[in-house]
Amino acid sequence: MNAVIAQSGGVWIGIAIAAAILLFILAKAIRIVPEYQRLMVFRLGRSIGTKGPGICFLIPIVDRGVRVDLREQFLEIPRQTAITEDNAPISIDFIIFTKVVDAVMSVVAVQNFEGAAQNIAATSLRSVVGDMALDEVLSKREAINEALRAKLDEVTERWGVKVTNVEIREITPPPMVQEAMTRQMSAERTRRAVVTEAEGQKQAAITVAEGNKQAAILNAEGDRQAAILRAEGFSLALSKIFDVAQGIDANTMSLQYLEALKQIGSSPSTKFVVPLELASLLSGLSGMSRSFGPGSAGGDGKAAAGGGQGSSG
């Protein structure tokens, strides 16, 4: 009885071991590859190509699979010091963006892509910067990026990797150059401020001049209109005076001259301006005074009497 139990227990142990071996074989034989990866298969050390995406079957112990990521990746290049054409040391760090285009070559052609890319990037940077002056390095980032991308792509192309882009993150010039750049920037800002202020003063002066011009034009127009109105008023006044003067007799004019003489007499001035017509007017007034005097009636009577006598004689 014990022998039967022992025998059955051994059977169960054997089944368990066989199941474990089967599960291990299935785990090695079946691989699930996502869409963004490919499985590089080596059979007995020899490349037989890639498989995937989806479920892939491998022969356990015979086949070995290496996963290759096809997504675009970036590689940070640490700060590198290069010498420009005018012998100025400058530090640059940048980023490389790469994408695997041939999964087989990316595994077979290069052992450590990241290390190889970093070394190639450092040497390429020194080569590019060595052909440029410091001012060009500081102002032509896009040209440096494109030159580095072209040089790196020539090397990585045989590894089945495409360099899609190169971006410089920071350029650090020498301290003396930084001080000079700071002074230059300050001077440029001062120049712009002076130019802006001058432009403002110019525009203000032009605006003031335009305002003065318009004001002068308006003043001249106002003076012209005022002169026209004064002339028209004076003309109407003269016409009115002429019309009134037509109805004035000699006695009224004599009285006006007497009034003028009265005003002249009351003036403190020692010189008088007497019109020539005044003599005739005064003679006329004297004649009027004689005619209106007390002896005027007797004289007339005598004349009349004499006339009468003459007539009687």
Side-chain angles (χ1 to χ4, degrees), residues 16-274:
I17 293 172
I21 294 173
L22 180 61
L23 291 175
F24 177 77
I25 292 173
L26 290 175
K28 291 292 185 181
I30 299 175
R31 300 287 181 88
I32 298 177
V33 180
E35 182 68 29
Y36 57 85
Q37 289 183 350
R38 295 295 182 268
L39 189 65
M40 176 64 187
V41 180
F42 291 93
R43 179 164 295 168
L44 296 177
R46 187 174 182 179
S47 172
I48 62 172
T50 58
K51 294 184 179 181
I55 299 177
C56 301
F57 295 96
L58 301 178
I59 301 174
I61 303 174
V62 177
D63 293 343
R64 183 175 69 90
V66 178
R67 293 180 182 270
V68 180
D69 197 331
L70 301 182
R71 292 176 294 183
E72 188 170 359
Q73 301 178 5
F74 70 92
L75 181 62
E76 294 185 1
I77 306 300
R79 187 180 299 273
Q80 304 291 327
T81 301
I83 305 298
T84 61
E85 187 179 13
D86 49 357
N87 298 322
I90 188 169
S91 298
I92 301 175
D93 65 313
F94 56 98
I95 303 176
I96 301 174
F97 294 88
T98 61
K99 182 179 178 62
V100 175
V101 294
D102 190 343
V104 176
M105 295 300 296
S106 66
V107 177
V108 175
V110 60
Q111 180 181 1
N112 183 5
F113 173 74
E114 292 187 1
Q118 288 184 359
N119 289 304
I120 292 297
T123 56
S124 299
L125 176 65
R126 292 186 177 91
S127 176
V128 172
V129 173
D131 295 335
M132 302 176 66
L134 179 60
D135 291 338
E136 295 178 349
V137 174
L138 296 175
S139 61
K140 296 182 179 180
R141 288 197 176 193
E142 293 298 329
I144 297 175
N145 291 338
E146 184 61 27
L148 287 175
R149 190 201 64 78
K151 285 183 173 294
L152 291 173
D153 197 39
E154 291 178 0
V155 179
T156 59
E157 185 179 5
R158 64 175 182 264
W159 298 340
V161 179
K162 175 70 175 177
V163 177
T164 58
N165 196 14
V166 176
E167 289 294 337
I168 294 177
R169 292 195 300 185
E170 185 179 3
I171 298 177
T172 306
M176 296 180 62
V177 176
Q178 292 182 4
E179 294 177 2
M181 291 173 61
T182 302
R183 292 195 299 269
Q184 182 180 2
M185 181 177 61
S186 177
E188 180 65 21
R189 289 181 178 177
T190 302
R191 185 188 67 83
R192 292 180 181 178
V194 171
V195 170
T196 304
E197 183 178 1
E199 288 292 334
Q201 293 178 355
K202 175 183 176 182
Q203 293 297 328
I206 292 174
T207 303
V208 171
E210 288 291 336
N212 293 334
K213 176 183 176 182
Q214 294 296 328
I217 292 174
L218 293 176
N219 290 332
E221 183 66 22
D223 294 339
R224 187 179 70 86
Q225 294 293 334
I228 292 174
L229 292 176
R230 286 195 298 270
E232 291 178 352
F234 187 68
S235 176
L236 291 175
L238 290 177
S239 298
K240 187 67 176 178
I241 292 171
F242 180 76
D243 293 339
V244 173
Q246 295 297 324
I248 296 176
D249 56 0
N251 294 329
T252 303
M253 291 298 296
S254 299
L255 293 175
Q256 291 293 327
Y257 270 106
L258 290 175
E259 185 66 23
L261 289 174
K262 181 180 178 181
Q263 293 179 359
I264 292 173
S266 62
S267 173
S269 177
T270 57
K271 292 182 180 181
F272 304 101
V273 178
V274 179

